[in-house]
Amino acid sequence: MAYDDTLFQLGMDLTRSSTAQEEDPCAPARKKEVSDERNDFFIERDGVRFAGTHLIIDLFGARRLDDLKWVEETLKRCVEVAGATLLHIHLHHFTPNGGVSGVAVLSESHISVHSWPEADYAAFDVFMCGDAQPHLAVEVLREAFQAEDVVVKEHQRGEEMDELKWQTAASKIAPVRHVMVSSQKKAA
C-alpha cells in the first residue's frame, strides 16, 4: 500500500494512466516527427565505438534558476539546437528556495537539471546518442542562465564494451552463448 501511495505522490497512480507520461498539449510543434523508431544508435568516431556522449555541465554564477518556465524553454532550445527529438519534459519546482529539478526525455536519451538558485548553481546532465550533437547545448545553457563560469566534463558511454558485445548490440538477433559452470575451482 505504501508503494502505491508513493507512486501516486510522484504522479504515477497504478490505477489510472500516469499524467507524467502524457505529452504537453501546449508544447510548440516539433521539427521532427516523433515515432517509435529509435534514434539512439551507437556511434563510431576516431576509431572509438560508443553508445553516446554524456556531458556533465556545472553552471556557476547563474541566473533565473528558479524560473520554471524559463528552465523548460531552455531545455527545449537545447534539444532543438542539438538536433535531438523531445519526447517529454517533467520538471518540479521546490519551495522555499525555488530550485528546479527535472528531465527532458529524448529519443536519443535525456537532459536533466537540478538547480540551487540560492547558490547561483545548476547541475545539468546531457546524454545523447546517434546523430545528436550534445555539445551545442552548452552555449545555450551559458547564455540562457547568464553563467559566469561553466565546467563541462565529457564521458563516452559504453566505450569499454568489448567487440563481441558491440557485434551483439548491432545485430537483430542476439547470439546464444553457452557457458559451462564447474563446481570445482582450479588451482592457481
Side-chain angles (χ1 to χ4, degrees):
M1 184 59 127
Y3 177 75
D4 290 346
D5 291 341
T6 302
L7 290 175
F8 179 77
Q9 290 172 1
L10 292 172
M12 295 182 255
D13 184 3
L14 295 176
T15 62
R16 61 181 170 77
S17 296
S18 170
T19 57
Q21 295 176 3
E22 294 175 8
E23 293 294 324
D24 181 2
C26 300
R30 298 182 185 109
K31 285 176 86 175
K32 293 183 178 183
E33 184 67 30
V34 177
S35 71
D36 288 334
E37 180 182 337
R38 293 180 64 160
N39 296 322
D40 65 346
F41 51 86
F42 298 110
I43 301 166
E44 188 162 338
R45 188 178 306 132
D46 300 325
V48 177
R49 187 176 293 156
F50 55 100
T53 303
H54 196 160
L55 303 178
I56 306 299
I57 305 167
D58 292 321
L59 302 184
F60 300 93
R63 309 287 178 263
R64 296 187 77 174
L65 299 174
D66 59 348
D67 186 338
L68 188 70
K69 195 67 179 163
W70 185 252
V71 171
E72 181 176 354
E73 292 305 315
T74 301
L75 290 177
K76 288 178 181 178
R77 282 196 309 276
C78 287
V79 171
E80 184 178 338
V81 301
T85 308
L86 179 63
L87 299 176
H88 176 74
I89 292 181
H90 180 79
L91 298 172
H92 180 78
H93 205 208
F94 291 96
T95 55
N97 74 343
V100 175
S101 184
V103 64
V105 179
L106 313 175
S107 179
E108 299 82 3
S109 199
H110 71 275
I111 302 174
S112 64
V113 58
H114 197 84
S115 72
W116 289 264
E118 70 277 15
D120 299 331
Y121 170 74
F124 286 87
D125 233 34
V126 178
F127 179 29
M128 295 182 189
C129 307
D131 288 331
Q133 299 177 57
H135 294 92
L136 297 178
V138 175
E139 193 57 33
V140 172
L141 295 171
R142 177 195 306 274
E143 289 178 10
F145 298 108
Q146 302 169 350
E148 294 172 10
D149 192 22
V150 178
V151 176
V152 179
K153 296 175 186 168
E154 179 176 350
H155 180 66
Q156 293 178 338
R157 302 297 302 266
E159 69 180 329
E160 297 85 3
M161 197 179 308
D162 65 32
E163 189 61 32
L164 180 61
K165 296 283 187 190
W166 282 116
Q167 290 170 357
T168 301
S171 71
K172 299 282 186 214
I173 301 172
V176 176
R177 293 176 42 197
H178 296 279
V179 179
M180 191 172 274
V181 179
S182 173
S183 60
Q184 297 177 354
K185 292 184 179 179
K186 293 184 178 180

